[in-house]
Amino acid sequence: MNDFIFKENELYCEDVPVEQIASEVGTPFYLYSLATLGRHFSVFNESSKVLNSLICYSVKANSNIAVLNFLFKMGWGADIVSGGELFRALKAGVDAHKVVYSGVGKTEGEIEFALKSDILMFNVESLPEVFLIDKVAGRLNAKARVSFRINPNVDPKTHPYISTGLKKNKFGINIKHALSAYETAGELSNIDVVGLDCHIGSQLTEIAPFNDAVEIIKELLDKITAKGFNIKYLDLGGGLGITYENEMPPHPSTYMNSIKKILKGYEGRIIFEPGRLIVGNAGIFVTKVIYNKDTGSKNFIIVDGGMNDLIRPALYEAYHEIVPVIKRDGPRAKSDVVGPICESADFLGKDRVMNSVQEGDLLAVFSAGAYGFSMSSNYNSRPRVAEVLVDKDKFYIIRIRETYDDLIAKETIPDYNYNIT
Ligand code: LLP
């Protein structure tokens, strides 16, 4: 089932022609389907019912407040990694008691904000961090619920930039130091140790690394429990992959059932932090062809969307399918689809064989709903693009396109007193 479909030769999002949206909002823009989002929500939610679970959507994947609000209304919580994400999540209506806070560099101000908001727990990534949380909680007369993020040293077999559970990564506590970390935290008067956490990486397409990690975590859980800790929450992070090209990631229910087997007998709540799986294929990026350029050795399709809008190809050499919004007949040619940014890494696709496109044609870049807009920037002084959400035959602009004024809105020219001598 797909909500980005061709009717005749024209791409629709649900019941709305993509070209119609482009003519009203301009290009480039991100386009999300509420039907797809809802379906992904339901599949994950239903699959998780074999366990006593709490789903905390990973806000970083797509943090538009309309997307967040939809998922929170359905009962999910949030996995956050910054004060800014906490702010967004609260504005979008999250229940603070369903918020978990990960990240290696939580600052004192962020910790205070989270404690005052009474979030469910901090996923602590180092001893200095738990000492700081203890100090801030003491100052606020609060008790901080914490879990330790453990680095199980498992290879997730994904891109090196998005693997997090190897001992060479900066994330989590070395499994060898885990027990003593729990003992240390158990002594702190403003800390309530309630959980155990792990997240080994993103875009995992095999089940084995998950199983390996959960087995390691289960063994540790038993040891921690034997020391008298009551681990009410076991947070297994996110990471389930999606199909960009021809990957065949495991279905969420396969994943849940195998976790259920490994964790047999555990009576606490199991937390999941899915991100990409929920939003990745619920969104596309729409961009317009500016020029066709033949350099004599290569064809370039130059489009108005660049690496500042969608950085995944540049950063991870990620593949995103690119398809003309209106299919034309005509000769097929091999081209690189590139943006206007002054960087050679500014490409959306390389060596793509497509029917020839003309200036003004629209291209759809698929699987762009996760880590698309949320990683975008103003590089080359390009206003950030619009985001649009479709619900059946209606579309809603859920983020208006930035203007040139927005680019400089926070900047000032100081009245300095420097003279060239
Ligand atoms: N929980 C934690 C602690 C995480 O660090 C992440 C992602 C997630 C959950 C969600 O993982 P997901 O279900 O989305 O795989 N920018 C990269 C992905 C970075 C992932 C960072 N952490 C990309 O575009 O592929």
Side-chain angles (χ1 to χ4, degrees), residues 335-406:
S335 315
D336 283 7
V337 181
V338 300
I341 303 264
C342 298
E343 301 264 354
S344 291
D346 181 28
F347 63 91
L348 296 176
K350 283 199 165 161
D351 294 326
R352 299 301 174 88
V353 179
M354 308 197 258
N355 286 355
S356 59
V357 294
Q358 294 173 10
E359 291 163 13
D361 282 0
L362 298 175
L363 299 181
V365 182
F366 279 82
S367 314
Y371 307 107
F373 187 90
S374 64
M375 293 182 82
S376 68
S377 78
N378 290 121
Y379 187 43
N380 276 204
S381 286
R382 289 165 48 81
R384 265 175 295 190
V385 304
E387 291 177 286
V388 178
L389 180 69
V390 167
D391 177 21
K392 299 185 258 313
D393 59 354
K394 291 203 171 53
F395 73 87
Y396 304 88
I397 299 174
I398 57 172
R399 193 183 210 276
I400 57 172
R401 187 179 304 285
E402 291 180 358
T403 63
Y404 289 153
D405 279 327
D406 290 329

Side-chain angles (χ1 to χ4, degrees), residues 146-223:
V146 306
S147 81
F148 279 106
R149 175 169 176 181
I150 302 303
N151 184 329
N153 193 25
V154 166
D155 185 354
K157 303 204 171 73
T158 183
H159 190 283
Y161 287 7
I162 51 175
S163 58
T164 51
L166 283 167
K167 64 181 180 197
K168 67 177 179 192
N169 298 129
K170 69 177 174 179
F171 297 98
I173 306 245
N174 184 330
I175 185 127
K176 290 194 198 126
H177 307 150
L179 264 187
S180 82
Y182 274 86
E183 279 164 347
T184 305
E187 304 283 301
L188 301 173
S189 44
N190 309 303
I191 295 289
D192 190 6
V193 181
V194 295
L196 172 56
D197 167 49
C198 113
H199 167 83
I200 57 171
S202 196
Q203 183 54 14
L204 272 73
T205 52
E206 291 172 36
I207 199 109
F210 284 120
N211 288 345
D212 293 350
V214 178
E215 266 163 26
I216 292 168
I217 290 296
K218 172 72 167 64
E219 210 174 291
L220 179 63
L221 173 72
D222 293 342
K223 286 187 194 151

